[in-house]
């Protein structure tokens, strides 16, 4: 099963905002709100930062926000900080009782 | 505090078997579905398998169906992944993760599985 489509890399300066897109199909993002975003610093455990398209878990900064339109989900990080530099993955429930991840986006804080 | 700790990774020959374990603490293990997710070297995350809270339902990625088996022991707060007929492409860090509605809210640190002769 093919991965959801994310840009391989994005970058921004401290204080700026960036948006990471995640494109799927009507079999996943387009028909289900079980869309999550994860932050992954290599060598560490991935961390959930958004679930159910736009809900932040307790303790996650409000600088992180999620949205969805049609078959596409987005993660926006505002007020970029050096510690935001990491890999970011989207995921979605996919019809047939499976989960599909995006290919990942490497965020560089300049 | 939710903690998930994976065990059992290592080096195995192609065609061999390995069983991973994940010890859970800090939450009511028997109330949650659990997943295995893996990351091959230099690649992204790949969902592997899911088991519901009572073990009555299990789900697998096409890439592992028929070779891997997920199970759990709620009396021991432990999740398992039995991996048979291992291939080089199964080489990855394997994470266990708590699941709610097909989304993972807590993850372990992972255990490395290397399939090589």
């Amino acid at each position: 099963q093919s991965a959801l489509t994310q840009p391989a890399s994005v970058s921004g300066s401290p204080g700026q905002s960036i948006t990471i897109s995640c494109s799927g199909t009507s079999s996943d993002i387009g028909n289900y709100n079980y869309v999550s975003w994860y932050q992954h610093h290599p060598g560490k455990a991935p961390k959930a930062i958004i679930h159910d398209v736009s809900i932040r878990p307790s303790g996650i900064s409000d600088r992180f926000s999620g949205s969805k339109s049609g078959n596409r989900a987005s993660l926006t990080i505002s007020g970029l900080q050096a510690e935001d530099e990491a890999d970011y993955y989207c995921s979605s429930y996919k019809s047939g009782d499976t989960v599909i991840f995006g290919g990942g986006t490497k965020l560089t804080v300049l | 505090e939710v903690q998930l700790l994976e065990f059992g990774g290592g080096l195995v020959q192609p065609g061999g078997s390995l069983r991973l374990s994940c010890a859970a603490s800090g939450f009511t293990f028997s109330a949650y579905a659990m997943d295995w997710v893996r990351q091959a070297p230099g690649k992204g995350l790949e969902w592997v398998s899911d088991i519901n809270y009572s073990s009555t339902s299990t789900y697998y990625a096409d890439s592992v169906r028929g070779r891997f088996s997920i199970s759990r022991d709620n009396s021991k707060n432990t999740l398992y992944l039995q991996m048979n007929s291992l291939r080089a492409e199964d080489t990855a860090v394997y994470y266990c993760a708590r699941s709610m509605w097909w989304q993972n809210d807590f993850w372990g640190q992972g255990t490395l599985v290397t399939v090589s002769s």
Side-chain angles (χ1 to χ4, degrees):
Chain A
Q1 45 211 78
S2 300
L4 300 172
T5 301
Q6 297 182 232
S9 63
V10 297
S11 62
S13 300
Q16 287 187 331
S17 295
I18 62 95
T19 296
I20 300 172
S21 61
C22 173
S23 295
T25 70
S26 58
S27 296
D28 39 69
I29 294 174
N31 264 310
Y32 302 97
N33 287 327
Y34 300 138
V35 177
S36 289
W37 289 90
Y38 304 96
Q39 179 189 64
H40 190 201
H41 290 101
K44 295 195 170 183
K47 181 180 182 181
I49 55 175
I50 294 287
H51 65 87
D52 297 303
V53 175
S54 60
I55 299 175
R56 282 187 309 276
S58 175
I60 299 300
S61 170
D62 60 5
R63 297 186 301 104
F64 295 90
S65 62
S67 63
K68 186 185 93 164
S69 177
N71 296 339
R72 184 181 176 115
S74 297
L75 172 72
T76 297
I77 308 174
S78 59
L80 270 180
Q81 300 179 0
E83 58 262 36
D84 298 333
E85 187 161 295
D87 297 323
Y88 290 84
Y89 294 90
C90 59
S91 78
S92 174
Y93 171 79
K94 184 179 177 70
S95 60
D97 292 334
T98 63
V99 174
I100 187 169
F101 278 89
T105 298
K106 181 177 180 61
L107 169 61
T108 301
V109 180
L110 302 170
Chain B
E1 179 192 5
V2 173
Q3 290 194 352
L4 299 167
L5 191 57
E6 301 92 340
F7 298 96
L11 176 64
V12 61
Q13 292 190 338
S17 297
L18 206 59
R19 188 175 86 152
L20 305 182
S21 302
C22 171
S25 61
F27 66 102
T28 304
F29 181 72
S30 60
Y32 288 86
M34 296 293 296
D35 287 359
W36 289 98
V37 178
R38 68 185 181 183
Q39 184 176 34
K43 302 292 186 181
L45 299 173
E46 179 190 15
W47 176 80
V48 172
S49 184
D50 174 276
I51 185 168
N52 75 340
Y53 71 101
S54 62
S55 303
T56 54
S57 296
T58 57
Y59 309 93
Y60 298 93
D62 289 344
S63 58
V64 306
R65 186 176 291 112
R67 300 187 299 122
F68 289 12
S69 178
I70 190 172
S71 62
R72 64 192 296 163
D73 185 336
N74 287 344
S75 69
K76 295 182 179 179
N77 290 346
T78 302
L79 175 72
Y80 303 101
L81 185 68
Q82 177 67 44
M83 303 185 295
N84 299 329
S85 302
L86 282 161
R87 306 166 179 167
E89 54 264 37
D90 296 318
T91 294
V93 175
Y94 284 74
Y95 297 97
C96 78
R98 196 173 79 170
S99 179
M100 289 187 68
W101 294 106
W102 304 98
Q103 301 164 95
N104 302 119
D105 57 354
F106 289 97
W107 299 62
Q109 296 276 0
T111 186
L112 176 63
V113 173
T114 302
V115 184
S116 175
S117 54

